Amino acid sequence: MAGAPAGGDGAGTEVDVVVVGAGQAGLSSAYHLARAGIGHVVLDHAPRPGGAWQFRWPSLTYGKVHGMHALPGMELVGADPLRPSSAVIGEYFTAYERRFGLDVHRPVHVTAVREGPGGRLRVESSAGVWSARALINATGTWDRPFWPRHPGQESFRGRRLHTADYPGPQAFAGARVVVVGGGTSAVQHLLEIAPVAAATTWVTRRPPVFRDGTFGEAEGRAAVALVDARVRQGLPPQSVVSVTGLPLNEAVRDGIASGVLDRRPMFERITPTGVAWADGQQVEADVILWATGFRAAVDHLAPLRLREPGGGIRLDGTRAVRDERVHLVGYGPSASTIGANRAGGAAVREIRRLLARGTQDGAPDSPDATPPELLEPAGAA
């Protein structure tokens, strides 16, 4: 582990690896680094353990969580399914950090990663500067909610919220609510809000696809492969869930039968009192709730010029093709709890080889093939 870094314009505290983010991906990576005996430091911007889970709305209980996979080396057992997932997973992450002695520095905001002296990476943060031989970026997406722009949105006199700000259903009691988005969060919001709201309207860009039946290993591999193909082409990643469809459970079936999940196509514009379609139809609304997803939080990597013309960071496994010192875990095909676990291990294996080469003669080596672990069924977690 590394101590507190030097401030100012100096080279910074030297460490083999800096891990940015202490969610599932970051903690998994730190676990594997510790087991490999590689010196590292973990920097996390959040105020406490729990990753993005600590910011989830109270009504998202642990029993409603889709695919929470245990961190490596320590199972999550005996959790009350009726407790908020933020509390359950926050306590689990806290216990995990203590058990494995993961010295996470928080709250620390990483502002930039750039080329440093001697072939090292200069990691600049609100707590000073680190000088690293390699970096694992595990920042996820929660900090970058995606807000689509629509004509007339500035004129809307009601409230506009994003899933990142969702406070729970009671905040919508008696309100007319338009929910925008075709993912799992949109469905969960609608099913919670409908019993207390005056009216709900579901709007999506494309017709939702519901998945009936089991989701096994073959389906999981196929879904991850689709996401992996985009990342290998340097395109912005899609979530694994976006290519698997929406699971049909009893609550969703009831929502379809009752009309709560009766989807309408995307509106043309936002009016002062609601939304309007090109054919003249309008819906009055007090609230527009955007369940439109998130984008990867990687702006601090911009000085390294890792992005491809397609807008994404091209990866080979977890390694950035443009800079073998940089690994992205929890990005693209590893953006699930089980995928992040396996990707953390895969990243550390490659970093160990990189550090060994540097210790011997500093000569470059040919990149390894993508670890087969990354093609496990992340969507089935």
Side-chain angles (χ1 to χ4, degrees), residues 97-159:
E97 291 180 15
R98 289 174 179 166
R99 177 170 176 178
F100 295 106
L102 305 181
D103 183 19
V104 182
H105 296 237
R106 60 167 62 91
V108 176
H109 304 278
V110 174
T111 54
V113 181
R114 62 181 81 249
E115 191 65 41
R120 285 176 167 266
L121 294 167
R122 177 182 170 91
V123 182
E124 300 172 358
S125 80
S126 60
V129 177
W130 278 267
S131 174
R133 299 171 68 188
L135 179 132
I136 294 178
N137 192 79
T139 47
T141 63
W142 187 259
D143 295 325
R144 285 201 62 200
F146 175 60
W147 293 74
R149 294 194 60 81
H150 284 276
Q153 65 185 36
E154 291 82 4
S155 70
F156 184 59
R157 295 198 291 263
R159 288 185 296 156

Side-chain angles (χ1 to χ4, degrees), residues 238-328:
Q238 292 176 309
S239 68
V240 173
V241 173
S242 71
V243 296
T244 62
L246 296 164
L248 266 176
N249 54 34
E250 185 177 350
V252 171
R253 293 181 191 278
D254 290 344
I256 294 173
S258 67
V260 170
L261 297 182
D262 183 12
R263 166 261 181 191
R264 298 187 65 170
M266 198 65 209
F267 45 78
E268 181 186 57
R269 67 188 186 281
I270 298 174
T271 71
T273 58
V275 297
W277 284 262
D279 61 4
Q281 294 187 64
Q282 297 191 38
V283 166
E284 298 293 293
D286 304 300
V287 182
I288 301 175
L289 175 57
W290 300 91
T292 44
F294 299 79
R295 299 293 183 264
V298 293
D299 289 351
H300 54 288
L301 301 179
L304 297 177
R305 301 182 181 276
L306 302 178
R307 288 192 185 274
E308 300 292 335
I313 298 176
R314 188 157 63 99
L315 301 184
D316 185 357
T318 62
R319 175 174 40 80
V321 170
R322 290 179 178 263
D323 193 327
E324 67 174 346
R325 299 168 298 177
V326 179
H327 288 256
L328 277 72

